[in-house]
Amino acid sequence: AALTCGLNASAADYVAQKRDLAKAATRQKTDLHRTAAFLLYGAIYQGMGQEYIYNQLYPILFGASTSFATVLSKVLFDLLIQTTLLTLPIAYMSKALVYKYSIKEAFRRYKDDVLKRGLLTKYFLLWGPVQCLTFSIIPAQCRVTFIASVSFFWMTILSSIASKARNVESDNVH
């Protein structure tokens, strides 16, 4: 799962970079550090972390039922707690690790993208319905694969949002 999710995330970043470069009509090259950050995030968090979270931890916390109340509890926890405090911050910390800037700067960028670029709104609009499907009709053994499939599109969006032009001060932080 780690290798598949890492390759999926890095491929999504590559697609986002090519799209963004084409829109800007620039001759810049693909940023391999950026792709490496998505590879790291995809492999470690999406491939290994989510396998544990969704298939081991969620059944303990919420049970294995697909009742409306259980599905709603899982989706709300995923969107409001896990995503805001773990999933997205880890993506920004992965990028900080590769680019060698501080964790404080990673959180500043995360906050900036939430407040100015609609990061959480975009996340909730995609993942709210997807997670309703994940926890209600997708068999437990297929959940990470299903999430990884949808995540290609999310990672393309995240890559574009997290890599929008920053002001000079933040780009020079290392």
Side-chain angles (χ1 to χ4, degrees):
L3 180 60
T4 302
C5 289
L7 292 174
N8 184 52
S10 61
D13 171 66
Y14 182 79
V15 168
Q17 285 192 56
K18 288 299 182 185
R19 187 193 65 215
D20 293 346
L21 291 172
K23 276 185 190 176
T26 181
R27 293 175 101 25
Q28 289 179 329
K29 294 184 178 186
T30 304
D31 181 349
L32 295 179
H33 283 95
R34 178 174 147 179
T35 302
F38 278 88
L39 176 71
L40 178 69
Y41 173 73
I44 294 173
Y45 180 72
Q46 290 183 314
M48 295 187 304
Q50 286 183 336
E51 168 69 27
Y52 174 76
I53 291 167
Y54 293 132
N55 291 334
Q56 306 299 317
L57 191 58
Y58 270 37
I60 294 168
L61 294 175
F62 304 105
S65 169
T66 57
S67 71
F68 178 78
T70 301
V71 170
L72 184 62
S73 296
K74 289 177 180 179
V75 171
L76 289 175
F77 183 84
D78 183 73
L79 295 178
L80 301 175
I81 307 297
Q82 182 180 320
T83 294
T84 58
L85 300 177
L86 186 69
T87 302
L88 292 173
I90 288 174
Y92 283 77
M93 288 187 283
S94 297
K95 192 171 176 185
L97 181 68
V98 170
Y99 280 98
K100 297 180 177 149
Y101 55 81
S102 71
I103 297 299
K104 181 179 178 182
E105 176 62 13
F107 278 99
R108 190 200 63 73
R109 290 179 183 217
Y110 171 54
K111 179 182 168 188
D112 190 53
D113 287 345
V114 167
L115 297 175
K116 296 179 182 172
R117 293 183 181 84
L119 177 65
L120 287 178
T121 301
K122 290 173 176 120
Y123 187 96
F124 294 162
L125 288 173
L126 174 68
W127 287 105
V130 168
Q131 294 299 53
C132 286
L133 292 173
T134 301
F135 299 124
S136 64
I137 64 171
I138 304 297
Q141 68 274 15
C142 299
R143 288 181 181 158
V144 173
T145 302
F146 175 69
I147 291 167
S149 299
V150 176
S151 120
F152 179 86
F153 301 101
W154 168 248
M155 294 305 287
T156 303
I157 295 166
L158 177 61
S159 176
S160 293
I161 292 171
S163 299
K164 293 278 186 211
R166 306 284 180 188
N167 64 42
V168 174
E169 176 188 334
S170 67
D171 279 341
N172 290 329
V173 174
H174 293 281

